[in-house]
Amino acid sequence: MMSNLVFLPIFIPLFFGALLVFFNKKQKVTVNISFLVVLLSLGVSIFLSYHVFSTGPLTLETGGWKAPYGIILVADKLSVIMILAVNVIALTAAIFALSSVTEKMVQHYFYPLFFLLIAGVSGAFLTGDLFNLFVFFEVLLMASYGLIIIGGSKHQFRESVKYILLNLFSSILFVTTVAFLYSVTGTVNMAQLGERVAQVEQQGILTGIGILLFIVFATKGALFPLYFWLPKSYIVPSPIVSALFGALLTKVGVYSMLRVFTLIFSHKLELTHTFFIWVATLTMIIGVIGALSTSNVKLIIAYNIMPAIGFMLLGIGTFSAESLAGTIYYLVHDMAIKAALFFLAGLLVWHAGTSNLKKMGGYIKTAPLMGWMFFIASLILAGIPPFSGFIGKYLLLRGAMDEGHYIAAGVGLLSSLLILFSVIRIFIGAFWGELKEEPKQAVKTSGLAASAVLIAISILLGVGAEWFYPYVQAAADSLIDPQIYIDYVLKE
Amino acid sequence: MEIIMSILAGTLFAAGVYLILQKQLLKIVLGTALLSHGAHLFILTMGKLNRGKPPILIEGIKDYTDPLPQALILTSIVISFGVTSFLLVLAYRTYQSNKTDMMDQLRGTDDE
């Protein structure tokens, strides 16, 4: 019976997401139900994490089909950490939604799409089947297609067309790659794939298929040189949608890489993983250059997604227990802080009535709390100790140094400095100096509350690293030895 | 049979790639439709094509059609059908609100 628990993080948002379609004219009812749902879902995910960390991973064989034949859902340590993070983000998004989701957005099905997005992301984290991963990718992408055009402005249409076309193309590539992999190995179950690829020591064409999969996930995760769609399409929707995209969507790409390139394609490290390190280095450089090149506040934050993805990929490329732990730590940290920064940037843009940094100034007098929160969030993002960004970066850079990747580590350090510069520029430009223009509207309390929760979590992750690190290390240890996962899923 | 199917899938891919490199939005949408057709045929071919065999393994029957690619292709067809129809509507709305369907005029600036 316990194994049915694995299905709940997908089922709860999926069911209530569908249910809320009927209440799109009743904002109050919708908001109340959505709060209940995020709290319920968070409770379930906490219980699931507790269960997995105390008694070991859980699997659900859907429809009673035994492991390699049917679709299976696996909640191992990495999955439950991600599920927990997603549900925390969902809770804060529900709080932020109080101030930012208008009646019109509710009528245009914001809440159903929001919950379908959460269901898709949770499913992607829980599935143990490569084709099923594609299906959950589509579920979350469909929801994101709906979310990105809520509002229906001219530039939203323009950017969402590009976003959808690119994601559609990478999805087609994903299906094709799964077909390749199926024809070579005869299975789409990730555990069995891991076993069979290991048996033939990932020869010839399998490495090629691995790189194709990497291209698919790199497009979803916005790595160099496939990042070009990301910045503009992430700034056009409403701030809450931007925050959800920035916190969750690219991270699903990173999670998939983390899973696939530790479990399945981890036998030709000198070929694939060295390549990852170079891609990671270039992604960091390009992302930072982008963030420094613009004076659009939202665009600066959107560009800052890329160096973070670069850091996570650096951990996957280094491929040691420590660097993988760093990647997981950084993944969780980045989900929280990216959501917080997108929230704050959204609040700032509403407050100022413009997203152009050059037209802002002196808002520390009109919105002191928001200003200082932005300042702390900037420090967390750059990785100043004792905040959470520091722990993740420390693990990643030390891992990279230990394995002799000095150039990548050096670029990482330098890019951290430039990240700090790019976001502090917003703080200086928007909050210091004389008040240039009267603020257009007061800062909304619930928006600040949502950001405050996320910043508090980031600080807790940094200061309390001693408490959280053992769990992350345990998850990384189970990644570095794929046999644990394979044996568990295939019950050998 | 597999070779003919592979050539067909390859042709569809080539035509699809040619179309998505065009500037006009509608052509790009059609290109993605062709690409997904190519991918679907490709999945079917990858599971080996058998004629007149049951898709299930019963004791005593050694020769059977692999049912998995058919399940995969069905899922994939439904998804790409949905996305393509959504994309067509979106392309039309984009054309309406931006007054152009040429990709090089849909570039946009930093400050909006």
Side-chain angles (χ1 to χ4, degrees):
Chain A
M1 266 322 284
M2 270 328 257
S3 62
N4 283 335
L5 196 61
V6 182
F7 187 54
L8 285 181
I10 307 169
F11 174 75
I12 295 171
L14 193 64
F15 176 76
F16 286 99
L19 193 73
L20 284 176
V21 169
F22 299 111
F23 297 101
N24 70 323
K25 300 258 162 57
K26 299 191 178 69
Q27 192 176 6
K28 242 189 184 147
V29 181
T30 310
V31 169
N32 287 337
I33 295 179
S34 71
F35 259 100
L36 280 180
V37 178
V38 286
L39 285 175
L40 180 68
S41 189
L42 183 63
V44 167
S45 61
I46 290 173
F47 182 65
L48 182 66
S49 319
Y50 168 74
H51 192 83
V52 167
F53 272 101
S54 56
T55 58
L58 281 172
T59 55
L60 175 67
E61 289 161 338
T62 51
W65 290 81
K66 286 275 167 282
Y69 305 110
I71 293 170
I72 53 158
L73 299 173
V74 186
D76 71 339
K77 293 190 179 95
L78 174 63
S79 298
V80 292
I81 291 176
M82 301 314 294
I83 291 288
L84 201 54
V86 169
N87 280 295
V88 170
I89 302 288
L91 176 66
T92 55
I95 299 172
F96 189 80
L98 288 177
S99 66
S100 73
V101 176
T102 56
E103 208 178 332
K104 211 174 163 204
M105 282 173 79
V106 176
Q107 271 176 24
H108 288 115
Y109 304 108
F110 169 79
Y111 280 102
L113 290 168
F114 165 63
F115 282 118
L116 290 180
L117 184 79
I118 301 293
V121 173
S122 306
F125 288 151
L126 283 173
T127 186
D129 184 286
L130 199 60
F131 190 78
N132 201 226
L133 181 66
F134 159 75
V135 174
F136 277 119
F137 261 113
E138 287 305 307
V139 172
L140 73 92
L141 284 174
M142 295 272 199
S144 78
Y145 299 162
L147 284 171
I148 197 172
I149 54 162
I150 289 183
S153 70
K154 196 173 143 188
H155 36 268
Q156 259 175 312
F157 281 123
R158 192 187 63 218
E159 295 305 327
S160 55
V161 156
K162 298 174 206 165
Y163 170 78
I164 294 170
L165 278 174
L166 202 96
N167 275 302
L168 181 57
F169 182 76
S170 76
S171 296
I172 294 169
L173 196 61
F174 196 175
V175 176
T176 317
T177 315
V178 172
F180 269 127
L181 204 53
Y182 182 71
S183 75
V184 178
T185 59
T187 180
V188 287
N189 179 298
M190 286 200 228
Q192 206 177 18
L193 275 172
E195 193 183 42
R196 291 194 177 168
V197 171
Q199 273 166 8
V200 294
E201 289 168 343
Q202 197 185 331
Q203 281 168 343
I205 193 163
L206 280 168
T207 309
I209 295 171
I211 294 295
L212 264 179
L213 264 184
F214 176 71
I215 292 173
V216 172
F217 298 142
T219 317
K220 313 265 183 203
L223 286 165
F224 178 85
L226 302 161
Y227 61 87
F228 48 84
W229 57 274
L230 182 134
K232 288 257 182 71
S233 62
Y234 273 33
I235 64 167
V236 287
S238 169
I240 183 163
V241 179
S242 302
L244 284 172
F245 283 16
L248 303 180
L249 291 197
T250 46
K251 308 303 178 292
V252 180
V254 176
Y255 165 83
S256 313
M257 280 185 236
L258 196 56
R259 185 62 89 195
V260 167
F261 290 100
T262 55
L263 180 63
I264 305 172
F265 300 105
S266 58
H267 306 282
K268 286 271 187 334
L269 291 181
E270 71 287 351
L271 206 70
T272 50
H273 288 59
T274 316
F275 171 62
F276 295 170
I277 286 175
W278 288 111
V279 173
T281 314
L282 286 168
T283 310
M284 287 182 213
I285 298 172
I286 294 292
V288 168
I289 291 175
L292 291 174
S293 70
T294 170
S295 58
N296 180 336
V297 174
K298 287 177 168 182
L299 208 53
I300 295 175
I301 307 293
Y303 267 115
N304 263 312
I305 292 175
M306 279 145 56
I309 302 287
F311 266 104
M312 294 170 211
L313 186 67
L314 178 65
I316 302 173
T318 310
F319 202 70
S320 65
E322 190 176 33
S323 71
L324 287 176
T327 299
I328 301 170
Y329 217 98
Y330 205 80
L331 202 55
V332 176
H333 142 81
D334 200 57
M335 282 167 118
I337 200 62
K338 280 288 141 57
L341 274 171
F342 270 110
F343 285 162
L344 288 169
L347 290 173
L348 176 63
V349 170
W350 276 326
H351 189 63
T354 170
S355 58
N356 191 342
L357 193 56
K358 287 172 188 147
K359 290 182 187 157
M360 298 179 187
Y363 292 128
I364 199 80
K365 294 188 191 92
T366 55
L369 200 57
M370 179 169 76
W372 291 116
M373 269 162 63
F374 198 94
F375 179 67
I376 298 172
S378 309
L379 295 185
I380 296 174
L381 180 75
I384 306 283
F387 302 124
S388 57
F390 171 71
I391 312 288
K393 278 186 182 163
Y394 172 71
L395 290 169
L396 286 170
L397 293 177
R398 203 175 68 178
M401 294 272 202
D402 283 349
E403 301 287 323
H405 306 300
Y406 296 112
I407 298 175
V411 169
L413 278 175
L414 188 68
S415 74
S416 302
L417 261 183
L418 293 174
I419 288 169
L420 183 64
F421 177 60
S422 73
V423 276
I424 284 295
R425 214 161 52 107
I426 302 180
F427 180 69
I428 293 173
F431 293 100
W432 284 13
E434 290 300 307
L435 203 60
K436 278 189 192 158
E437 271 176 59
E438 281 302 307
K440 297 284 179 291
Q441 49 173 290
V443 180
K444 283 155 181 159
T445 334
S446 56
L448 280 182
S451 322
V453 171
L454 287 168
I455 290 174
I457 289 170
S458 291
I459 294 175
L460 193 67
L461 275 174
V463 180
E466 294 255 323
W467 305 322
F468 300 109
Y469 184 68
Y471 298 103
V472 173
Q473 186 63 56
D477 285 342
S478 65
L479 281 181
I480 205 93
D481 184 10
Q483 203 57 43
I484 303 173
Y485 183 93
I486 293 170
D487 286 348
Y488 181 73
V489 171
L490 298 180
K491 307 257 174 357
E492 278 163 3
Chain B
M1 193 65 184
E2 274 92 355
I3 292 175
I4 301 173
M5 288 286 268
S6 302
I7 292 172
L8 181 57
T11 317
L12 282 170
F13 266 102
V17 169
Y18 174 75
L19 279 177
I20 62 168
L21 294 175
Q22 302 292 309
K23 279 182 184 163
Q24 218 177 350
L25 198 48
L26 191 61
K27 286 183 186 164
I28 299 174
V29 177
L30 289 178
T32 58
L34 283 187
L35 274 179
S36 58
H37 289 328
H40 298 152
L41 272 183
F42 185 69
I43 302 175
L44 200 63
T45 319
M46 284 296 116
K48 288 232 173 72
L49 299 165
N50 277 341
R51 291 181 77 176
K53 303 287 185 311
I56 32 173
L57 184 61
I58 312 171
E59 255 180 276
I61 296 181
K62 287 201 185 84
D63 215 11
Y64 64 99
T65 308
D66 191 349
L68 195 71
Q70 301 179 12
L72 303 187
I73 192 178
L74 193 62
T75 316
S76 182
I77 286 173
V78 174
I79 290 171
S80 68
F81 171 72
V83 177
T84 306
S85 48
F86 179 73
L87 200 52
L88 281 170
V89 176
L90 189 70
Y92 178 63
R93 288 294 308 270
T94 308
Y95 166 71
Q96 266 190 332
S97 62
N98 283 283
K99 302 281 180 284
T100 177
D101 66 342
M102 301 302 267
M103 280 319 259
D104 51 358
Q105 289 166 17
L106 287 171
R107 211 165 259 164
T109 54
D110 267 15
D111 304 312
E112 354 178 78

